[in-house]
Amino acid sequence: MEQQQLPLYHALLEFHKKHPISFHVPGHKNGHVFPAEAKDVFQSILKIDVTELTGLDDLHAPDGIIADAERLAAAFFQAEQTFFLIGGSTVGNLAMILAACKQGDTVIVQRNCHKSVMNGLELSGAKPVFIAPQYDENVRRYTHPSFSGLQAALEQYPDAKAVIFTYPDYFGSTYNLGDMIELVHSFGIPVLVDEAHGVHFSLGENFPASALSQGADVVVQSAHKMAPAMTMSSYLHCNSKRISSERIVHYLQMLQSSSPSYPLLASLDLARFYLASMTRKAITELMESVQTVKHIFANSTYWDLIASDDPLKITLHVKDGLSAKKVGNLLEQQQIYPELVTEKQILLIHGLAPFTDIRYLKKAMKTVDGQLKNIVKHDTIDINHFTPARIQELELSYGMMNQLSTKCIPLKAAEGYIAAEAIIPYPPGIAFILKGEKITKAHIEKIQHMKELGLRIQQRHTNGIYVYAEIEKGEE
């Protein structure tokens, strides 16, 4: 019964019912001061967009309704302590890394991690050692590190201060994280997990096991990705004494706004409530809907449906001769918006409730299928097997990078230089070239190919890349 409570959300509603008179921030004054053009849209949320008033607690020193809401979340997710985040999983990843390591510390990191993990390592001044993911022929992409690769890295760097995993990956693929955590713990090293896409794993047997249930020390989850929370709303869970929760609190106070959004905080209270309230019947209906939607998408000769450990992730692998970007564009013309389009794959995410517009989806997919019949197929270049080093360090320390000047050169001339920026296809936000990594011919060919396909890439200059000016091509 306790999980049916909504302490934070209900307190905000009760506060609004008192018709408070605002002589405080925010400037919209409970929604009274707002452009008329947008007032109807924003009005319902502005009434709970308040500040740290009497009875409404303080995110940075919670002892009231926020503390109660965080305690309920910790109980539901089975963590020792849970923190509400209003800066997305990004701020959680930064905080857990800064809490775990300091300047010069070695940290073992899954190579295909989110850019926020890389930013956290740079801010900490740690020395990252990357372990490469394996290429999985079944799903036709890189997924997770091997157990043997992790073991080799631990034996080579037994003084590492932390190991950082991503679980699941963007497409919902998981792996035997529990065995890996047990191995890392045998070296006395804590495990940090970016579980941005796994907040719903707490729902039990229909989903993979959560990182918390497998023994991770600190776990960050994006509530807004798979649960019904507002964008930028996330959780950080602590579940061991290997990482100081006091240090996490310290860095969250530094990194999070001193004026946190109460609508975001309330949505975290509501997301936990929603997950905790899902009955067995509701989950059964959800799984039936997933199968119906998958069947509709599978009814095409132009792509294969790729299996995922997370049933809510639906991946289409476009067949040779067709561009995934083109297929994605055709879907969007039918008002169907995928989560992600890569060179050959399209990721769609089913929500946590049954999909209701089945008739329209069938009609739209029939239209897309008909349009694809008229598209001329082209030969494709298969360069998916770009192979990262099994265990890799950066060419320069972050401290050294901060002392060097940079210059922008054409990408095609960058082979042999050391990258002064990360090159990041977005989404999913995983760096293809790491800042501090030596640029190879394979890097250049792959990036050029992604650009030709029209994929979005985050970089400072469209046609060039920043490298370290003092280190000439080919120097160590």
Side-chain angles (χ1 to χ4, degrees):
M1 289 298 294
E2 186 182 44
Q3 289 296 329
Q4 301 306 304
Q5 298 177 25
L6 285 164
L8 178 50
Y9 174 66
H10 284 156
L12 292 173
L13 291 184
E14 289 301 314
F15 183 79
H16 173 70
K17 288 178 183 178
K18 297 175 183 177
H19 303 289
I21 299 171
S22 172
F23 282 95
H24 56 76
V25 300
H28 60 69
K29 301 298 181 182
N30 300 324
H32 295 296
V33 182
F34 212 71
E37 291 80 359
K39 200 166 186 176
D40 287 347
V41 174
F42 280 83
Q43 189 64 54
S44 62
I45 202 71
L46 293 177
K47 67 185 182 183
I48 63 168
D49 184 30
V50 291
T51 189
E52 296 93 336
L53 303 172
T54 301
L56 297 184
D57 211 354
D58 179 353
L59 177 64
H60 296 295
D63 61 3
I65 56 172
I66 295 176
D68 290 341
E70 289 183 331
R71 179 182 56 78
L72 285 168
F76 173 72
F77 290 106
Q78 299 183 5
E80 291 183 8
Q81 190 170 8
T82 293
F83 298 95
F84 282 8
L85 308 178
I86 44 82
S89 286
T90 290
V91 77
N93 286 340
L94 296 179
M96 72 178 180
I97 292 169
L98 289 167
C101 57
K102 56 185 184 297
Q103 183 83 26
D105 284 347
T106 298
V107 180
I108 297 172
V109 188
Q110 181 175 332
R111 171 64 177 79
N112 54 334
C113 62
H114 189 262
K115 64 178 184 176
S116 60
V117 172
M118 299 306 307
N119 292 337
L121 292 167
E122 182 171 354
L123 286 172
S124 71
K127 174 188 172 184
V129 173
F130 299 101
I131 48 176
Q134 303 171 96
Y135 189 84
D136 187 337
E137 292 288 353
N138 293 321
V139 297
R140 293 175 248 187
R141 62 177 179 271
Y142 287 97
T143 53
H144 58 82
S146 66
F147 186 90
S148 61
L150 171 64
Q151 187 169 31
L154 288 167
E155 290 171 353
Q156 190 173 341
Y157 301 93
D159 59 341
K161 299 302 180 184
V163 175
I164 305 174
F165 292 115
T166 301
Y167 173 96
D169 70 7
Y170 210 108
F171 294 84
S173 294
T174 62
Y175 50 98
N176 197 340
L177 181 64
D179 285 352
M180 291 193 173
I181 291 173
E182 185 177 353
L183 174 64
V184 176
H185 283 170
S186 72
F187 284 78
I189 300 171
V191 174
L192 317 179
V193 179
D194 176 1
E195 195 177 36
H197 288 265
V199 68
H200 57 304
F201 289 180
S202 54
L203 291 173
E205 60 187 17
N206 289 283
F207 298 92
S210 70
L212 282 170
S213 71
Q214 296 181 76
D217 298 279
V218 183
V219 176
V220 175
Q221 298 172 330
S222 291
H224 67 94
K225 281 185 166 60
M226 299 301 294
M230 292 180 69
T231 300
M232 294 177 66
S233 305
S234 297
Y235 303 110
L236 186 153
H237 307 290
C238 296
N239 217 32
S240 86
K241 298 296 188 291
R242 295 183 182 91
I243 300 291
S244 166
S245 60
E246 288 78 12
R247 284 179 61 83
I248 288 176
V249 168
H250 170 71
Y251 285 109
L252 286 177
Q253 288 179 343
M254 290 178 63
L255 296 166
Q256 298 215 90
S257 172
S258 59
S259 300
S261 164
Y262 272 84
L264 295 187
L265 294 173
S267 77
L268 285 167
D269 198 17
L270 287 159
R272 181 272 312 161
F273 170 84
Y274 185 92
L275 292 169
S277 300
M278 287 195 73
T279 62
R280 184 178 295 275
K281 180 175 181 290
I283 293 175
T284 298
E285 291 173 349
L286 170 62
M287 293 299 106
E288 290 172 351
S289 173
V290 167
Q291 291 307 312
T292 298
V293 171
K294 284 183 176 179
H295 178 73
I296 294 171
F297 278 109
N299 190 27
S300 175
T301 59
Y302 296 104
W303 55 71
D304 297 321
L305 211 65
I306 301 294
S308 173
D309 300 312
D310 180 355
L312 302 187
K313 298 292 182 74
I314 302 169
T315 302
L316 315 180
H317 187 92
V318 176
K319 293 184 178 179
D320 289 343
L322 281 176
S323 159
K325 182 71 173 178
K326 181 63 177 179
V327 175
N329 289 340
L330 292 176
L331 290 172
E332 290 185 359
Q333 290 174 18
Q334 299 301 313
Q335 302 306 309
I336 297 170
Y337 288 86
E339 168 65 17
L340 169 67
V341 178
T342 68
E343 297 137 283
K344 295 296 294 180
Q345 296 189 338
I346 299 171
L347 172 64
L348 306 114
I349 300 178
H350 191 294
L352 275 174
F355 183 77
T356 56
D357 211 348
I358 294 295
R359 181 178 297 178
Y360 178 79
L361 183 61
K362 287 181 177 179
K363 180 181 177 182
M365 296 311 298
K366 186 176 181 180
T367 300
V368 170
D369 214 55
Q371 291 172 323
L372 286 171
K373 291 178 182 178
N374 301 318
I375 292 177
V376 178
K377 292 186 178 182
H378 299 282
D379 292 334
T380 56
I381 303 171
D382 183 10
I383 56 172
N384 281 325
H385 286 73
F386 170 79
T387 306
R390 189 180 189 212
I391 300 175
Q392 175 189 4
E393 295 184 27
L394 297 178
E395 300 292 324
L396 303 170
S397 69
Y398 289 120
M400 177 65 75
M401 292 184 221
N402 289 334
Q403 298 176 33
L404 298 174
S405 59
T406 65
K407 63 180 179 181
C408 185
I409 63 174
L411 178 64
K412 62 183 180 181
E415 182 181 354
Y417 283 94
I418 296 175
E421 64 172 322
I423 305 299
I424 305 169
Y426 197 89
I430 295 169
F432 182 68
I433 295 180
L434 301 168
K435 182 178 179 180
E437 182 177 22
K438 184 170 287 187
I439 303 164
T440 67
K441 181 180 179 181
H443 282 135
I444 295 168
E445 290 177 348
K446 183 79 169 182
I447 292 169
Q448 289 174 332
H449 181 57
M450 286 190 282
K451 288 186 174 183
E452 288 169 1
L453 293 172
L455 303 182
R456 187 169 16 142
I457 296 177
Q458 293 181 342
Q459 60 185 122
R460 290 161 61 188
H461 192 285
T462 305
N463 297 314
I465 183 171
Y466 279 83
V467 298
Y468 288 105
E470 289 93 338
I471 302 177
E472 293 302 321
K473 179 177 178 178
E475 286 186 19
E476 292 295 329

